[in-house]
Amino acid sequence: MAELAIEDLRFAYKRAGEEMFNGLSWQFEPGSVTALTGPSGRGKSTLLFLIGLLLTPTSGRVLLDGEAVSRAPDAQRAAIRAGRVGFMFQDAQLDPTRRVIDAVMEPGLYAGHAHAGLVDRARSLLDQFGLTDRADHRPGQVSGGQAQRVALCRALVNSPEILLADEPTGNLDRGNAELVLDALSATARSGNTVVIATHDPFVLERVDERVAL
Ligand code: ADP
Ligand code: MG
């Protein structure tokens, strides 16, 4: 289980730019889904990027198992991202030239998992999310809702201890939103830490914790 926290966090994209988060501290509980919420432009996505070690805080830190990993060397941050973090990006932009199943498998290849096992894992995730018949299609041939589910499969392929999802229900109708939320909850219930950025009231009603930005 991952012990994930942020401490005294501040971030600005530019040196003289507007600073966000005002020294925010929070401990994310394994087993829970936590929503980062607040109006558009408040920094929900930015905070996910900081937690996912894709950005470095201007001050304060991201702690993983008590260690300030936000300032760890690039190689260590990359290893944490590959091995322990799954990221479901908002614009589920998939490489148009490659098949859906390849997109789902890719984070597993980065993490060094064997190809054969990954094929099985990717197919079973695609089955679970009703995408069995899309596995061999190119992303140009899937709908927005399907692309979002592909992005979820991709984020889950390494069974990450920390799952970060940016507006995971953004393009989805109610039925698909429920499917995705149930998957996020199930991921949390098996001891993982799930953090999502959302301003969707339907989602906010169903999460365990809320951090208002
Ligand atoms: P949210 O996800 O809550 O809508 P964001 O994290 O996307 O908010 O953005 C927070 C603020 O940072 C906004 O003012 C946005 O314009 C700005 N911002 C986002 N990305 C960048 C970037 N790459 N460079 C400069 N400013 C950015
Ligand atoms: Mg955002």
Side-chain angles (χ1 to χ4, degrees), residues 11 13-14 18 20-21 38-47 49 90 166-167 197 199 213:
F11 180 80
Y13 278 100
K14 297 191 187 93
E18 197 188 334
M20 287 177 261
F21 312 124
S40 181
R42 197 56 68 89
K44 301 182 293 297
S45 298
T46 302
L47 185 47
F49 296 149
Q90 178 166 20
D166 199 353
E167 308 280 358
H199 57 256
L213 299 181

Side-chain angles (χ1 to χ4, degrees), residues 83-103:
R84 304 186 66 182
V85 180
F87 209 122
M88 184 179 172
F89 291 95
Q90 178 166 20
D91 303 309
Q93 277 178 2
L94 301 168
D95 181 341
T97 66
R98 294 162 66 231
R99 298 173 309 157
V100 162
I101 187 160
D102 297 321

